[in-house]
Amino acid sequence: MTATASPGRSHDLIAPHGGVLVDLRWPEDRWEALKAGVDHVIECSDRNACDVELLLVGGFSPLGGFMHQEDYRSVIEQHRTTTGLLFGLPIVMDTDDPSISVGDRLLLTYRSQELAVLTVESRWEPDKPAEAAGCYGTTSIEHPAVRMIMAERGRFYLGGSLQGLELPSRVFPCRTPAEVRATLPPGEDVVAFQCRNPIHRAHYELFTQALHASNVSANAVVLVHPTCGPTQGDDISGEVRFATYERLAAEVANPRIRWAYLPYSMHMAGPREALQHMIIRKNYGCSHFIIGRDMAGCKSSITGQDFYGPYQAQDFARDHAPELGMETVPSLNLVYTEEEGYVTAEHAQARGLHVKNLSGTQFRTMLRSGEAIPEWFAFRSVVEVLRAA
């Protein structure tokens, strides 16, 4: 396992979180010795596997494994570890196995792969209502992450160091932070765009126009970095989303856009998630982060009420960006007009332009029925992939 310190800017890119880009993977010729004498074999859930992968490759740098109880509590209460390091959400392993004890070595598997060995250094029964209230601002199981920690995560949480074996085999190839950093231009800003859905025309306009923001360098690039792990139950699967991204990247062939995929499981945690995404993208070499209205927000399926205010995530991320050494790029409120194409809503209103609208519900209905979808709304290549899925 290796961990390299990167003080200041590494190769003229932003330094990783905590100054260290972690790599917890062991060379293959040492795997058998590492696995010898493990006490338990634990199968990872899809979410566990995402967390293990990001720990192994340094996406959660500077963490060297799953958080201990003290850091878990500290992150819940004040979005910081016990050393004062910013973290949006706690990173823990869970189990229902009561026989696992401190000092045990666990082989973590996932779909017939052996991912890592976890040395258990702490074990506790979490206060899940307190975790929900602290991280998500609610204890309602109408919130998808509250439902996840209550119904999916096990009774016990485990903290401890990880030693990496294989990375999960995925349909979408997820480059490591070091690999992504190697593709970025030295000395230029890198603007991160996070999404969890197929990219439509408005998204494309949004992240390409962000390159012209006043706080972005002239030759900056944008890293389109979608999350391809578990999201909300009604979201399009990661495999299908990956196919739309690949087709779109080939179609636009824009040299100022870099594409990579993130094995991260969404929590829909609003402001806390915005901070978590910024930290992860910093580790991947991004200096700027596009943050939109109601980022990573969600609604109650009973009342229809939002769990977070429309600008709560934006404000939270902006307030903590200086401590991370990053800058935020506010998401423009773009609309499509008959006269001038995509412009800001404020510009359209001031000029009296005719705005065209198409809701997500209408789009899905048209998609299912085979009705022609206007190209101002969606790229034809993306529509073709969605209809073939």
Side-chain angles (χ1 to χ4, degrees), residues 191 205-216 222 290 329 332:
V191 182
E205 293 291 330
L206 173 66
F207 63 69
T208 52
Q209 289 192 35
L211 290 171
H212 305 291
S214 60
N215 62 337
V216 174
V222 60
I290 299 172
V329 181
L332 298 174

Side-chain angles (χ1 to χ4, degrees), residues 53-300:
E53 182 169 358
L54 285 174
L55 284 167
L56 295 183
V57 301
F60 287 140
S61 291
L63 298 184
F66 288 104
M67 291 180 179
H68 298 305
Q69 184 175 13
E70 295 78 14
D71 281 332
Y72 161 79
R73 286 176 174 168
S74 183
V75 170
I76 289 171
E77 294 169 1
Q78 52 188 353
H79 52 269
R80 294 179 185 276
T81 64
T82 53
T83 62
L85 193 69
L86 284 170
F87 244 91
L89 296 166
I91 310 298
V92 292
M93 185 67 188
D94 65 284
T95 183
D96 278 319
D97 189 341
S99 69
I100 293 175
S101 303
V102 171
D104 285 351
R105 297 173 67 248
L106 315 180
L107 178 61
L108 305 182
T109 61
Y110 179 64
R111 298 184 179 181
S112 302
Q113 286 187 274
E114 297 173 333
L115 302 187
V117 173
L118 168 62
T119 301
V120 180
E121 296 162 356
S122 59
R123 172 186 176 275
W124 69 98
E125 290 192 53
D127 182 343
K128 292 186 177 182
E131 179 182 349
C135 292
Y136 312 119
T138 180
T139 57
S140 170
I141 59 170
E142 284 297 296
H143 191 293
V146 174
R147 193 161 56 250
M148 179 271 293
I149 64 174
M150 298 295 187
E152 295 178 24
R153 278 188 177 168
R155 175 183 172 186
F156 306 101
Y157 284 2
L158 308 172
S161 57
L162 275 181
Q163 297 161 310
L165 304 169
E166 299 179 85
L167 296 181
S169 177
R170 302 183 184 279
V171 172
F172 41 90
C174 297
R175 284 181 288 174
T176 69
E179 291 169 341
V180 170
R181 282 170 167 265
T183 70
L184 302 176
E188 296 293 345
D189 292 335
V190 180
V191 182
F193 178 71
Q194 146 69 22
C195 61
R196 70 176 208 279
N197 291 305
I199 291 171
H200 296 314
R201 290 276 180 179
H203 300 124
Y204 184 81
E205 293 291 330
L206 173 66
F207 63 69
T208 52
Q209 289 192 35
L211 290 171
H212 305 291
S214 60
N215 62 337
V216 174
S217 64
N219 296 310
V221 298
V222 60
L223 176 67
V224 180
H225 204 203
T227 54
C228 291
T231 59
Q232 294 193 96
D234 58 351
D235 280 348
I236 294 169
S237 72
E239 289 81 358
V240 174
R241 281 180 279 138
F242 166 65
T244 68
Y245 303 140
E246 290 291 284
R247 286 284 298 276
L248 181 56
E251 177 180 340
V252 299
N254 188 332
R256 297 190 67 186
I257 302 174
R258 309 299 162 85
W259 301 78
Y261 306 104
L262 183 70
Y264 176 84
S265 58
M266 292 290 294
H267 291 241
M268 310 310 296
R272 288 295 194 99
E273 187 115 60
L275 176 59
Q276 194 86 328
H277 279 298
M278 287 181 69
I279 290 169
I280 293 169
R281 279 16 183 267
K282 179 181 180 181
N283 286 327
Y284 278 84
C286 299
S287 58
H288 291 61
F289 188 72
I290 299 172
I291 181 151
R293 184 182 184 275
D294 194 32
M295 179 186 173
C298 54
K299 299 175 183 287
S300 165

